[in-house]
């Protein structure tokens, strides 16, 4: 290595170490510490505009799936799966409810007979007990069929409604198969359903309350959510808890209390699900996706569940008088709805339906599927829960920036999940401190390492595309260290049984977040320890990989190269990138920019839920691997320009995108941090002087301040004028 290059590497190491030390002295270090009250900041790091998705837009999507699904209805009313060639699970009752929603709104009246026929089929099967219900999924029938009654009341005669009501009055013990053993999220379906049946006059109140309380106290439902550090729902059905399935259990419990449940445990259930749902605001990525990992990861209906839950909470929070948080929930719901549009099909004969998993491969190949994943039931889940979201939308609530767009936090989930989410100014990093070591359905769902970089206004599919861990092949790929072994390099994602990560939080601010993941061996086999440092800004993420051991360093970069459609990937001397070609994307690209000496070498591709991932191994003889992760939008500077502009300073770094100086950040649209002064390099007159140190955010246009916000009452001097700021009260100039 040349003397010049070696000096540069030492400067990078020194700058990061200095910056980390400064911020630790300022705010302290804690894997569970909260830092600034980021949930109370209002100003975003990028220009922000409302999405204004309407209830009619949601109904359009429901109607589209209904029109697709009716093509697969048989003469008896059953929805036949196009691949299984039979009725599967809950596809028919979900269609019946969604079709009723569309008809009740005065749409698609030509499909009235199809909706009635589905109700006939589903209610008849329900009345005959679980042996006559497809795949023994009776508990999934209760809620959609019960709420569908009111939708069809004005569409069919009273005699038919009376028959359906009688059929839906069957004892729950006849409907559920293996009632005592079904204690995971499946239990929450009949808990929700029994209360709805009581409200509809189909079952006795005492029996409904007894069933719900039994489920809560004796069938493990309370432990699954009350025992979690953040009150997320633990399904206990995969080795690492599933963030995907988490939304199912929590969503059903939220629906229970939102529908007015007033039994003995109502207040406790309410408090737990509300806290868990507030937590999920931080877990959503800025493009609207729910978090990755666990059984049923990266299925499209997962995002719909988030949309539904956020719609419910928007209305509830508005009713409680917290209109700002209600606006955040409404915004988050619309982000989720926007997210699923990427997987809506427009090709005949599938028009209106959605891919089951988040890729564009032929569904017959079942890429990323679990055994229950079928086209009919999971499109059924999308249309049913979208219909519920449509019904939940009752009032006009002004959108507010969601926490995923504001940033300013690092959160470590309960150890059973083993995940970390960090966000600065709408730039999210999602890291798994633990990976799967026990397969579910002979599949590893949660790979060890960083699995998601997402940014506001950018397509988060591009990298690292949630990573991959292959059980049979014992291979894996994430953004993380590679381990040097005698036989060659092995990616950390394939070492989940030997390695785990621990988290250190160094600094949290809405525009700047710093944290470190320490990967260490957990078995007697030994191995090197790795420190992966992250400096997260609204523009991108500076990462630095080091080890206290005398070992050659390696870092893996996952490039999405084919998700059923070919992407454009490039591996050059000091950079790797991927993007959708013109016509398939909006110009977004993911760039991995090496900042010091190293070699980039592509390897054999692995197939993930998203598609084929090409691993790029970065190796170096230096003491660190320093790399900038740059999610680029079409109008942003080129990756090579950002790389060439990178300059390390004593307290941070700067590029043509922005600058980090200790605990301060200055970007193209916003600036701020922790301190008492901020100066713009391009305009010395545009400086802010605070009368005491504070956390603050300032929006600007070319250095001219347009809004300021602080986390405590302060006086700020700007261009000779003293301005008084209240805590979390934006001042617009």
């Amino acid at each position: 290595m040349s003397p010049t290059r070696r000096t540069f590497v030492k400067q990078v190491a020194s700058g990061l170490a200095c910056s980390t030390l400064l911020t630790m002295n300022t705010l302290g270090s804690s894997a569970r510490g909260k830092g600034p009250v980021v949930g109370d900041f209002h100003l975003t790091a990028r220009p922000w505009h409302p999405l204004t998705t309407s209830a009619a837009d949601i109904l359009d999507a429901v109607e589209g799936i209904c029109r697709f699904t009716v093509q697969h209805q048989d003469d008896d009313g059953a929805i036949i799966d196009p691949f299984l060639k039979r009725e599967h699970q809950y596809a028919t009752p979900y269609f019946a409810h969604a079709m009723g929603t569309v008809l009740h709104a005065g749409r698609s009246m030509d499909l009235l007979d199809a909706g009635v026929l589905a109700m006939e089929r589903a209610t008849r099967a329900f009345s005959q007990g679980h042996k006559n219900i497809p795949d023994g999924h009776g508990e999934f029938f209760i809620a959609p069929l019960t709420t569908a009654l009111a939708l069809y009341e004005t569409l069919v005669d009273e005699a038919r409604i009376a028959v359906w009501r009688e059929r839906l009055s069957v004892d729950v013990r006849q409907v559920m198969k293996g009632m005592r053993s079904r204690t995971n999220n499946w239990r929450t379906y009949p808990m929700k359903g029994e209360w709805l049946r009581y409200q509809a006059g189909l079952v006795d109140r005492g029996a409904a309350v007894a069933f719900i309380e039994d489920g809560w106290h004796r069938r493990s439902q309370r432990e699954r959510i009350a025992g979690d550090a953040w009150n997320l729902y633990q399904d206990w059905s995969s080795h690492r808890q599933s963030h995907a399935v988490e939304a199912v259990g929590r969503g059903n419990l939220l629906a229970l209390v939102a529908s007015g449940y007033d039994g003995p445990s109502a207040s406790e259930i309410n408090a737990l699900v509300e806290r868990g749902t507030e937590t999920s605001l931080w877990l959503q990525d800025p493009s609207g996706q729910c978090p990755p990992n666990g059984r049923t990861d990266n299925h499209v209906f997962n995002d719909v569940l988030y949309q539904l839950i956020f719609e419910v909470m928007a209305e509830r929070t508005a009713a409680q008088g917290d209109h700002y948080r209600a606006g955040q929930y409404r915004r988050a719901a619309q982000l989720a709805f926007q997210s699923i549009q990427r997987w809506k099909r427009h090709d005949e004969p599938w028009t209106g339906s959605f891919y089951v998993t988040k890729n564009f491969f032929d569904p017959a190949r079942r890429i990323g599927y679990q055994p229950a994943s079928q086209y009919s039931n999971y499109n059924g889940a999308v249309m049913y829960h979208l219909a519920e979201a449509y019904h939940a939308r009752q009032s006009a609530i002004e959108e507010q920036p969601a926490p995923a767009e504001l940033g300013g936090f690092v959160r470590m989930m309960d150890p059973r999940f083993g995940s970390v989410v960090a966000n600065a100014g709408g730039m999210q990093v999602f890291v798994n401190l633990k990976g799967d070591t026990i397969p579910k359905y002979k599949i590893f769902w949660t790979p060890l390492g960083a699995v998601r970089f997402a940014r506001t206004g950018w397509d988060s599919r591009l990298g690292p595309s949630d990573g991959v861990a292959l059980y049979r092949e014992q291979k894996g790929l994430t953004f993380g260290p590679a381990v040097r072994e005698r036989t060659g390099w092995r990616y950390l994602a394939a070492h989940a049984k030997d390695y785990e990560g621990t988290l250190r939080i160094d600094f949290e601010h809405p525009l700047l977040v710093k944290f470190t993941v320490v990967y260490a061996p957990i078995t007697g086999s030994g191995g090197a320890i790795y420190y992966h440092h992250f400096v997260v800004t609204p523009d991108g993420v500076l990462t630095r990989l080091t080890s206290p051991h005398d070992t050659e360093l390696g870092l893996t970069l996952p490039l999405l190269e084919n998700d059923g459609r070919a992407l454009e990937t490039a591996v050059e001397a000091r950079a790797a990138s991927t993007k959708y070609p013109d016509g398939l994307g909006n110009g977004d690209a993911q760039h991995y920019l090496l900042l010091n000496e190293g070699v980039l070498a592509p390897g054999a591709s692995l197939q993930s839920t998203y598609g084929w991932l090409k691993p790029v191994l970065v190796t170096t003889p230096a003491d660190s691997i320093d790399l900038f992760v740059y999610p680029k939008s079409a109008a942003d500077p080129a990756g090579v320009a950002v790389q060439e502009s990178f300059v390390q300073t004593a307290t941070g770094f700067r590029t043509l995108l922005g600058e980090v100086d200790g605990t301060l950040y200055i970007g193209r649209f916003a600036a701020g941090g922790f301190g008492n002064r901020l100066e713009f390099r391009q305009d010395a007159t545009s400086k802010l002087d605070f009368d005491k140190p504070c956390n603050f955010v300032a929006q600007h246009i070319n250095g001219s301040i347009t809004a300021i916000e602080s986390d405590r009452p302060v006086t700020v001097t700007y261009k000779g004028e003293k301005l008084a700021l209240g805590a979390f009260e934006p001042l617009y100039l």
Side-chain angles (χ1 to χ4, degrees), residues 254 257-259 270 273-274 311-321:
L254 174 62
V257 293
S259 62
N270 184 77
V273 296
E274 285 200 351
E311 288 285 11
V312 171
M313 282 302 300
E315 297 290 340
R316 286 167 59 81
T317 310
Q320 296 163 5

Side-chain angles (χ1 to χ4, degrees), residues 72 85 102 104 166 174 186 213 225 262 280 286 295 328 392 412 430 495 498 545 617 633 643 699 723:
H72 299 278
K85 307 301 182 184
V102 173
H104 189 262
E166 182 178 359
Q174 298 181 41
W186 284 37
E213 293 294 323
I225 189 168
D262 58 2
S280 68
R295 179 173 71 85
Q328 290 188 309
M412 182 172 68
F430 202 99
H495 268 297
D498 301 317
L545 180 67
L617 176 65
S633 295
Q643 188 175 35
Q699 293 177 334
L723 306 169

Side-chain angles (χ1 to χ4, degrees), residues 98-175:
M99 194 70 253
T101 297
V102 173
L103 292 164
H104 189 262
R107 295 190 182 191
S108 295
M109 297 307 294
D110 58 309
L111 300 183
L112 174 58
D113 290 345
V116 172
L117 202 59
M119 283 292 290
E120 280 289 329
R121 166 74 180 190
T123 57
R124 184 170 62 252
F126 187 90
S127 69
Q128 294 169 346
H130 66 78
K131 291 183 179 180
N132 290 285
I133 294 174
D135 303 290
H137 275 56
E139 51 267 69
F140 293 79
F141 280 50
I142 304 174
L145 291 179
T146 300
T147 51
L149 288 173
L151 301 174
Y152 286 93
E153 273 185 344
T154 60
L155 301 172
V156 301
D157 58 69
E158 293 182 5
R160 191 183 295 271
I161 293 291
V163 170
W164 292 348
R165 288 180 59 84
E166 182 178 359
R167 290 174 177 175
L168 292 177
S169 300
V170 172
D171 191 290
V172 67
R173 290 170 293 186
Q174 298 181 41
V175 175

